[in-house]
Amino acid sequence: IEVCGEKGYGEMVREKIFAPLAMTNSEPVLVNAMRTQLASSYVPLYHGQRPTHPEDPLVDAGFYEYTKGAGSVCCTAPDLAKYLRMLLKRGEGVLTPQSFDTLIRPGYQYGPDHAYGYGLDVRTAEGKTLIQHAGGCFGFRSNLVGELDSGCGAVLLANGPVTMDIANFAVTALRAARLDQPLPPVPAPIPVTFEAAASLGSYKPASGQTLTIQPTSDHPNLTSPQQTFSLVPRGGHRFSCRHPDFALF
């Protein structure tokens, strides 16, 4: 971008995106001078060091200057909605129709109904085309979801851990309201399952101490010759343990 535009990345974002869309409450890069405009952000205590648990306390996420093109944009929800509105209008005011088609053209196929284009996830659900992009930096989380067929979209900004699917539900609810249809039910929490049959048994690590995974009525236990610990299912064959001897794994 800098080579083609002969300007810095931040200048190009301001000129080519922020200005045409009147995104007046946005910053293209993260620098100390704009920190007073930011909310405080939080991450779990051991974020990035070990598996986290819902009971872990949240701590300040910290900050450092970051001026690259991935995760550096900072904006308000109304400004991000302006950007999403541009995408739902197929790039109007910023992109040519040909450039927008390139933006959403599948470059990598995750599955039959899900691909990644030029910076946007492109999904098909119930016969409708959705565009999406999520991100995060310094404890902040964001999600942008738009349905090209109906023109409905939603943005999500958070300053800590959050369920990103909230934005997907919001788009479904908006479409239903726009069409005078019954609102969808609020989704129930997705349970984290544990594939017990494939994981139960005894294991002998290099230390020589035999560890056994045993089932209980609602969760598996890890048993050593000295004591028994509760395991927290993480989906599939993954689980974690809060005991200090196993908390890193």
Coordinates of all heavy atoms in Angstrom, one line a residue, residues 92-153:
E92 N -19.6 1.0 -2.5 CA -20.0 2.4 -3.0 C -19.3 3.5 -2.3 O -19.2 3.6 -1.1 CB -21.5 2.6 -2.8 CG -22.1 3.9 -3.3 CD -23.6 4.0 -3.1 OE1 -24.3 3.1 -3.6 OE2 -24.0 4.9 -2.3
G93 N -18.7 4.4 -3.1 CA -17.9 5.5 -2.5 C -16.5 5.3 -2.2 O -15.7 6.2 -2.0
V94 N -16.1 4.0 -2.2 CA -14.7 3.7 -1.9 C -14.1 2.7 -3.0 O -13.0 2.9 -3.4 CB -14.6 3.0 -0.5 CG1 -13.1 2.5 -0.3 CG2 -15.0 4.0 0.6
L95 N -14.8 1.7 -3.4 CA -14.3 0.7 -4.3 C -15.1 0.7 -5.6 O -16.3 1.0 -5.6 CB -14.5 -0.7 -3.7 CG -13.7 -1.0 -2.4 CD1 -14.0 -2.3 -1.8 CD2 -12.2 -0.9 -2.6
T96 N -14.5 0.3 -6.7 CA -15.2 0.1 -7.9 C -15.9 -1.3 -7.8 O -15.6 -2.1 -7.0 CB -14.2 0.0 -9.1 OG1 -13.4 -1.2 -8.9 CG2 -13.4 1.2 -9.2
P97 N -17.0 -1.5 -8.6 CA -17.7 -2.8 -8.5 C -16.7 -4.0 -8.8 O -16.8 -5.0 -8.1 CB -18.7 -2.7 -9.7 CG -19.0 -1.3 -9.8 CD -17.7 -0.6 -9.5
Q98 N -15.7 -3.8 -9.7 CA -14.8 -4.8 -9.9 C -13.9 -5.1 -8.7 O -13.6 -6.3 -8.4 CB -13.9 -4.5 -11.1 CG -14.6 -4.3 -12.5 CD -15.4 -3.0 -12.6 OE1 -15.2 -2.1 -11.8 NE2 -16.2 -2.9 -13.7
S99 N -13.5 -4.0 -8.0 CA -12.6 -4.2 -6.8 C -13.4 -4.9 -5.7 O -12.9 -5.7 -5.0 CB -12.1 -2.9 -6.3 OG -11.2 -2.3 -7.2
F100 N -14.7 -4.6 -5.6 CA -15.5 -5.3 -4.5 C -15.6 -6.7 -4.9 O -15.5 -7.6 -4.0 CB -16.9 -4.6 -4.4 CG -17.7 -5.3 -3.3 CD1 -17.5 -4.9 -2.0 CD2 -18.6 -6.2 -3.6 CE1 -18.2 -5.5 -1.0 CE2 -19.4 -6.9 -2.6 CZ -19.2 -6.5 -1.3
D101 N -15.9 -7.1 -6.1 CA -15.9 -8.5 -6.5 C -14.6 -9.2 -6.2 O -14.7 -10.4 -5.7 CB -16.3 -8.6 -8.0 CG -17.7 -8.2 -8.3 OD1 -18.5 -8.2 -7.4 OD2 -17.9 -7.9 -9.5
T102 N -13.5 -8.5 -6.3 CA -12.2 -9.1 -6.0 C -12.1 -9.3 -4.5 O -11.6 -10.3 -4.0 CB -11.1 -8.3 -6.5 OG1 -11.1 -8.1 -7.9 CG2 -9.7 -8.9 -6.1
L103 N -12.6 -8.3 -3.7 CA -12.6 -8.4 -2.3 C -13.2 -9.6 -1.7 O -12.8 -10.2 -0.7 CB -13.2 -7.1 -1.7 CG -13.1 -6.9 -0.2 CD1 -11.7 -6.5 0.2 CD2 -14.1 -5.8 0.3
I104 N -14.4 -10.0 -2.3 CA -15.1 -11.1 -1.7 C -14.9 -12.4 -2.5 O -15.5 -13.5 -2.2 CB -16.6 -10.8 -1.7 CG1 -17.2 -10.6 -3.1 CG2 -16.9 -9.6 -0.8 CD1 -18.7 -10.5 -3.1
R105 N -14.0 -12.4 -3.5 CA -13.8 -13.6 -4.3 C -13.0 -14.6 -3.4 O -12.0 -14.3 -2.8 CB -12.9 -13.3 -5.5 CG -12.6 -14.5 -6.4 CD -11.7 -14.1 -7.5 NE -12.3 -13.0 -8.3 CZ -11.6 -12.1 -8.9 NH1 -10.2 -12.1 -8.8 NH2 -12.1 -11.1 -9.6
P106 N -13.5 -15.9 -3.3 CA -12.8 -16.9 -2.5 C -11.4 -17.1 -2.9 O -11.1 -17.3 -4.0 CB -13.7 -18.1 -2.7 CG -15.0 -17.6 -3.1 CD -14.8 -16.4 -3.9
G107 N -10.5 -16.9 -1.9 CA -9.1 -17.2 -2.1 C -8.7 -18.5 -1.5 O -7.8 -19.2 -1.9
Y108 N -9.3 -18.8 -0.3 CA -9.1 -20.0 0.4 C -10.4 -20.6 0.8 O -11.2 -19.9 1.4 CB -8.2 -19.8 1.6 CG -7.9 -21.0 2.4 CD1 -7.0 -22.0 2.0 CD2 -8.7 -21.3 3.6 CE1 -6.8 -23.1 2.8 CE2 -8.5 -22.4 4.3 CZ -7.6 -23.3 3.9 OH -7.4 -24.5 4.6
Q109 N -10.6 -21.8 0.6 CA -11.9 -22.5 0.9 C -11.8 -23.3 2.2 O -11.1 -24.2 2.3 CB -12.3 -23.4 -0.3 CG -13.8 -23.7 -0.4 CD -14.6 -22.5 -0.9 OE1 -14.1 -21.8 -1.8 NE2 -15.8 -22.4 -0.5
Y110 N -12.5 -22.8 3.2 CA -12.6 -23.5 4.5 C -13.5 -24.8 4.4 O -13.2 -25.8 5.0 CB -13.1 -22.7 5.6 CG -12.3 -21.5 6.0 CD1 -12.7 -20.2 5.7 CD2 -11.0 -21.7 6.6 CE1 -11.9 -19.1 6.1 CE2 -10.2 -20.6 7.0 CZ -10.7 -19.3 6.7 OH -9.9 -18.3 7.0
G111 N -14.5 -24.6 3.6 CA -15.5 -25.7 3.4 C -16.4 -25.3 2.3 O -16.2 -24.3 1.6
P112 N -17.5 -26.1 2.0 CA -18.3 -25.8 0.8 C -19.1 -24.5 0.9 O -19.4 -23.9 -0.1 CB -19.3 -27.0 0.8 CG -19.2 -27.6 2.2 CD -17.8 -27.4 2.7
D113 N -19.3 -24.0 2.2 CA -20.1 -22.8 2.3 C -19.3 -21.7 3.0 O -19.9 -20.7 3.5 CB -21.4 -23.1 3.2 CG -22.3 -24.1 2.5 OD1 -22.4 -24.1 1.3 OD2 -22.8 -25.0 3.2
H114 N -18.0 -21.8 3.1 CA -17.2 -20.8 3.9 C -15.8 -20.7 3.2 O -15.1 -21.6 3.0 CB -17.0 -21.3 5.3 CG -16.4 -20.3 6.2 ND1 -16.0 -20.6 7.5 CD2 -16.1 -19.0 6.0 CE1 -15.5 -19.5 8.0 NE2 -15.5 -18.5 7.1
A115 N -15.5 -19.4 2.8 CA -14.3 -19.2 2.2 C -13.7 -17.8 2.7 O -14.4 -17.1 3.4 CB -14.4 -19.1 0.7
Y116 N -12.4 -17.6 2.4 CA -11.8 -16.4 2.8 C -11.4 -15.6 1.5 O -10.7 -16.2 0.6 CB -10.5 -16.6 3.6 CG -10.0 -15.4 4.3 CD1 -10.7 -14.8 5.4 CD2 -8.8 -14.8 3.9 CE1 -10.2 -13.7 6.0 CE2 -8.3 -13.6 4.5 CZ -9.0 -13.1 5.6 OH -8.5 -12.0 6.2
G117 N -11.8 -14.4 1.4 CA -11.4 -13.6 0.2 C -10.3 -12.7 0.5 O -9.3 -13.1 1.2
Y118 N -10.3 -11.4 0.1 CA -9.2 -10.5 0.3 C -9.5 -9.7 1.6 O -9.9 -8.5 1.6 CB -9.1 -9.5 -0.9 CG -8.3 -10.1 -2.0 CD1 -8.8 -11.1 -2.8 CD2 -7.0 -9.7 -2.3 CE1 -8.1 -11.6 -3.9 CE2 -6.2 -10.2 -3.3 CZ -6.8 -11.2 -4.1 OH -6.1 -11.7 -5.1
G119 N -9.4 -10.4 2.7 CA -9.6 -9.7 4.0 C -11.0 -9.9 4.6 O -11.3 -9.3 5.6
L120 N -11.8 -10.6 3.9 CA -13.2 -10.9 4.4 C -13.5 -12.4 4.4 O -13.2 -13.0 3.4 CB -14.2 -10.1 3.6 CG -14.3 -8.6 3.8 CD1 -15.3 -8.0 2.8 CD2 -14.8 -8.2 5.2
D121 N -14.2 -12.9 5.4 CA -14.8 -14.2 5.4 C -16.1 -14.1 4.6 O -16.8 -13.1 4.7 CB -15.1 -14.7 6.8 CG -13.9 -15.3 7.5 OD1 -13.4 -16.3 7.0 OD2 -13.4 -14.7 8.5
V122 N -16.3 -15.0 3.7 CA -17.5 -15.1 2.9 C -18.2 -16.4 3.2 O -17.6 -17.5 3.0 CB -17.2 -14.9 1.4 CG1 -18.5 -14.9 0.6 CG2 -16.4 -13.7 1.1
R123 N -19.5 -16.3 3.7 CA -20.2 -17.5 4.1 C -21.6 -17.5 3.4 O -22.1 -16.5 3.0 CB -20.4 -17.6 5.6 CG -19.2 -17.7 6.4 CD -19.5 -17.9 7.9 NE -20.1 -16.7 8.5 CZ -21.3 -16.6 8.9 NH1 -22.1 -17.6 8.8 NH2 -21.7 -15.4 9.5
T124 N -22.1 -18.7 3.2 CA -23.4 -18.9 2.7 C -24.2 -19.6 3.8 O -23.8 -20.7 4.2 CB -23.5 -19.7 1.4 OG1 -22.7 -19.0 0.4 CG2 -24.9 -19.9 0.8
A125 N -25.4 -19.0 4.2 CA -26.2 -19.6 5.2 C -27.7 -19.4 4.8 O -28.1 -18.3 4.5 CB -25.9 -19.0 6.6
E126 N -28.4 -20.5 4.7 CA -29.8 -20.4 4.3 C -30.0 -19.7 3.0 O -31.0 -18.9 2.8 CB -30.7 -19.7 5.4 CG -30.6 -20.4 6.8 CD -31.4 -19.6 7.8 OE1 -31.9 -18.5 7.5 OE2 -31.4 -20.1 9.0
G127 N -29.1 -20.0 2.1 CA -29.2 -19.4 0.8 C -28.7 -17.9 0.7 O -28.9 -17.3 -0.4
K128 N -28.2 -17.3 1.8 CA -27.9 -15.9 1.8 C -26.4 -15.8 1.9 O -25.7 -16.6 2.6 CB -28.6 -15.2 3.0 CG -30.1 -15.3 2.8 CD -30.8 -14.7 4.1 CE -32.3 -14.7 3.9 NZ -32.8 -16.1 3.7
T129 N -25.8 -14.7 1.3 CA -24.4 -14.5 1.4 C -24.0 -13.5 2.5 O -24.6 -12.4 2.5 CB -23.9 -13.9 0.0 OG1 -24.2 -14.9 -1.0 CG2 -22.4 -13.7 0.1
L130 N -23.1 -13.9 3.4 CA -22.7 -13.1 4.5 C -21.2 -12.8 4.4 O -20.4 -13.7 4.0 CB -23.0 -13.7 5.8 CG -24.4 -13.9 6.2 CD1 -24.9 -15.4 5.9 CD2 -24.7 -13.6 7.6
I131 N -20.8 -11.6 4.7 CA -19.4 -11.2 4.8 C -19.1 -10.9 6.3 O -20.0 -10.5 7.0 CB -19.1 -9.9 3.9 CG1 -20.1 -8.8 4.3 CG2 -19.2 -10.3 2.5 CD1 -19.8 -7.5 3.6
Q132 N -17.9 -11.2 6.7 CA -17.6 -11.1 8.1 C -16.1 -10.9 8.2 O -15.3 -11.4 7.5 CB -18.0 -12.4 8.8 CG -17.7 -12.4 10.3 CD -18.2 -13.6 11.0 OE1 -18.8 -14.5 10.4 NE2 -18.1 -13.6 12.3
H133 N -15.7 -10.2 9.3 CA -14.3 -10.1 9.7 C -14.3 -9.8 11.2 O -15.0 -8.9 11.7 CB -13.6 -9.0 8.9 CG -12.1 -9.0 9.2 ND1 -11.3 -9.9 8.5 CD2 -11.3 -8.3 10.0 CE1 -10.0 -9.7 8.9 NE2 -10.0 -8.8 9.9
A134 N -13.5 -10.5 11.9 CA -13.3 -10.4 13.3 C -11.8 -10.1 13.6 O -11.0 -10.4 12.8 CB -13.8 -11.6 14.1
G135 N -11.6 -9.5 14.7 CA -10.2 -9.2 15.1 C -10.1 -8.9 16.6 O -11.0 -8.8 17.3
G136 N -8.8 -8.6 16.9 CA -8.6 -8.3 18.3 C -7.2 -7.8 18.5 O -6.3 -8.1 17.8
C137 N -7.0 -6.9 19.5 CA -5.6 -6.4 19.8 C -5.7 -5.8 21.2 O -6.6 -5.0 21.5 CB -5.3 -5.3 18.8 SG -3.6 -4.8 18.8
F138 N -4.7 -6.1 22.0 CA -4.6 -5.5 23.4 C -5.9 -5.7 24.2 O -6.3 -4.8 24.9 CB -4.3 -4.0 23.3 CG -3.1 -3.6 22.5 CD1 -3.2 -2.7 21.5 CD2 -1.9 -4.2 22.7 CE1 -2.1 -2.3 20.8 CE2 -0.8 -3.9 22.0 CZ -0.9 -2.9 21.0
G139 N -6.5 -6.8 24.1 CA -7.7 -7.1 24.9 C -9.0 -6.6 24.2 O -10.1 -7.0 24.6
F140 N -8.9 -5.8 23.2 CA -10.1 -5.3 22.5 C -10.5 -6.4 21.5 O -9.7 -7.1 20.9 CB -9.8 -4.0 21.7 CG -9.5 -2.9 22.6 CD1 -8.3 -2.4 22.7 CD2 -10.6 -2.3 23.3 CE1 -8.0 -1.3 23.6 CE2 -10.3 -1.2 24.2 CZ -9.0 -0.7 24.3
R141 N -11.8 -6.6 21.3 CA -12.3 -7.6 20.3 C -13.4 -6.9 19.4 O -14.1 -6.0 19.9 CB -13.0 -8.7 21.1 CG -12.1 -9.4 22.1 CD -11.0 -10.2 21.4 NE -11.5 -11.2 20.5 CZ -12.0 -12.4 20.8 NH1 -12.0 -12.8 22.0 NH2 -12.4 -13.2 19.8
S142 N -13.4 -7.3 18.2 CA -14.4 -6.7 17.3 C -14.9 -7.8 16.3 O -14.2 -8.8 16.0 CB -13.7 -5.5 16.5 OG -12.6 -6.0 15.7
N143 N -16.1 -7.5 15.8 CA -16.7 -8.4 14.8 C -17.6 -7.6 13.9 O -18.3 -6.7 14.4 CB -17.4 -9.6 15.5 CG -17.7 -10.7 14.5 OD1 -17.2 -10.7 13.4 ND2 -18.5 -11.6 14.9
L144 N -17.5 -7.8 12.6 CA -18.3 -7.1 11.7 C -19.0 -8.2 10.8 O -18.3 -9.1 10.2 CB -17.4 -6.2 10.8 CG -17.9 -5.5 9.6 CD1 -17.1 -4.2 9.4 CD2 -17.8 -6.4 8.3
V145 N -20.3 -8.2 10.7 CA -21.1 -9.2 10.0 C -22.1 -8.4 9.1 O -22.9 -7.6 9.6 CB -21.8 -10.2 10.9 CG1 -22.5 -11.2 10.0 CG2 -20.8 -10.9 11.8
G146 N -22.2 -8.8 7.8 CA -23.2 -8.2 7.0 C -23.8 -9.2 6.0 O -23.1 -10.1 5.6
E147 N -25.1 -9.1 5.8 CA -25.8 -10.0 4.9 C -26.0 -9.2 3.6 O -26.9 -8.3 3.5 CB -27.1 -10.4 5.5 CG -27.8 -11.6 4.8 CD -29.0 -12.0 5.5 OE1 -30.1 -11.4 5.3 OE2 -28.9 -12.9 6.4
L148 N -25.4 -9.6 2.5 CA -25.4 -8.8 1.3 C -26.8 -8.8 0.7 O -27.3 -7.8 0.1 CB -24.4 -9.4 0.2 CG -22.9 -9.2 0.6 CD1 -22.1 -9.8 -0.5 CD2 -22.6 -7.7 0.7
D149 N -27.6 -9.9 0.8 CA -28.9 -10.0 0.2 C -29.9 -9.1 0.8 O -30.7 -8.4 0.1 CB -29.4 -11.5 0.3 CG -28.4 -12.5 -0.3 OD1 -27.5 -12.9 0.4 OD2 -28.6 -12.8 -1.5
S150 N -29.9 -9.0 2.1 CA -30.9 -8.2 2.8 C -30.4 -6.8 3.1 O -31.2 -5.8 3.4 CB -31.4 -8.8 4.1 OG -30.3 -8.9 5.1
G151 N -29.1 -6.6 3.1 CA -28.5 -5.3 3.5 C -28.4 -5.1 5.0 O -28.1 -4.0 5.5
C152 N -28.7 -6.1 5.8 CA -28.6 -6.0 7.3 C -27.2 -6.3 7.7 O -26.6 -7.2 7.2 CB -29.6 -7.0 7.9 SG -31.4 -6.6 7.6
G153 N -26.8 -5.6 8.8 CA -25.5 -5.9 9.3 C -25.4 -5.4 10.7 O -26.2 -4.7 11.3

